Amino acid sequence: MTRAGLCTEEDIEQLVTHFYAAVRQDAVLGPIFNRHIDDWPSHLSKLVDFWSSILRGTARFRGAPMPAHQALPELQPELFQRWLRLFAQSCAAHTNAAMSARAMEVAPRIAQSLWLGWQQCHRAGLPEIPLMPMEAL
Ligand code: HEM
């Protein structure tokens, strides 16, 4: 299967829309996202580009996730874990199981990398706090 054959743009739009609707309703993550994001349509469009680049190899994404997350002062491992649990729920609810499986391989690795980068920025010299493995969430 080519990478573009894994899923359609519509599949990705559905996943991103479902996930960020859940995020915005989440008691803990919702207020953080709503504090930092003024323009939701533009955020969702950027996230569709992000996942399209990863899952379909379209190379459309032009952002910089590491500095964007390092600029969020309130990040903690529990927040990444909560993000991953919600993302897993949105993936499980999607009709394209192959796409969801791939997204769930990639998302924990990106979360780990963003959390490591955040700690290097905000906890330099302190012991690294690991994220819990996905199976334990
Ligand atoms: C604790 C968990 C997370 C929180 C609270 C969070 C929050 C945010 C917020 C508020 C923004 C917008 C920043 C801005 O435009 O000023 C953002 C951007 C973004 N997030 Fe997250 N995020 C989390 C985890 C993740 C993970 C695990 C991924 C990927 C798997 C991800 C992917 C992205 C991407 C691609 C952007 C756009 C970055 C850019 O503008 O270049 N986020 N996130």
Side-chain angles (χ1 to χ4, degrees):
M1 190 191 289
T2 63
R3 284 179 78 198
L6 179 68
C7 58
T8 63
E9 286 295 312
E10 196 185 5
D11 284 334
I12 292 175
E13 279 164 24
Q14 281 167 359
L15 176 64
V16 167
T17 305
H18 187 284
F19 173 62
Y20 284 97
V23 160
R24 292 181 80 176
Q25 283 170 21
D26 184 78
V28 178
L29 291 175
I32 298 176
F33 276 85
N34 285 321
R35 202 158 46 240
H36 292 282
I37 295 174
D38 301 326
D39 183 351
W40 273 96
S42 144
H43 182 70
L44 294 182
S45 152
K46 195 186 289 184
L47 268 292
V48 169
D49 287 350
F50 176 72
W51 284 109
S52 177
S53 295
I54 291 174
L55 298 170
R56 305 185 78 237
T58 53
R60 272 206 322 257
F61 179 65
R62 289 282 173 273
M66 190 61 84
H69 292 85
Q70 284 174 337
L72 304 175
E74 61 270 76
L75 293 195
Q76 290 173 5
E78 293 76 15
L79 296 175
F80 279 101
Q81 286 155 196
R82 204 169 172 104
W83 189 106
L84 285 169
R85 273 199 305 272
L86 275 187
F87 191 71
Q89 285 165 12
S90 289
C91 285
H94 202 285
T95 50
N96 185 333
M99 175 189 78
S100 294
R102 179 71 190 133
M104 280 312 301
E105 280 172 11
V106 177
R109 284 194 242 139
I110 300 173
Q112 183 70 49
S113 145
L114 291 175
W115 173 233
L116 263 183
W118 191 93
Q119 291 183 86
Q120 279 158 11
C121 184
H122 294 270
R123 293 176 40 87
L126 294 171
E128 182 191 317
I129 304 170
L131 287 188
M132 277 203 265
M134 203 57 221
E135 318 76 78
L137 296 184

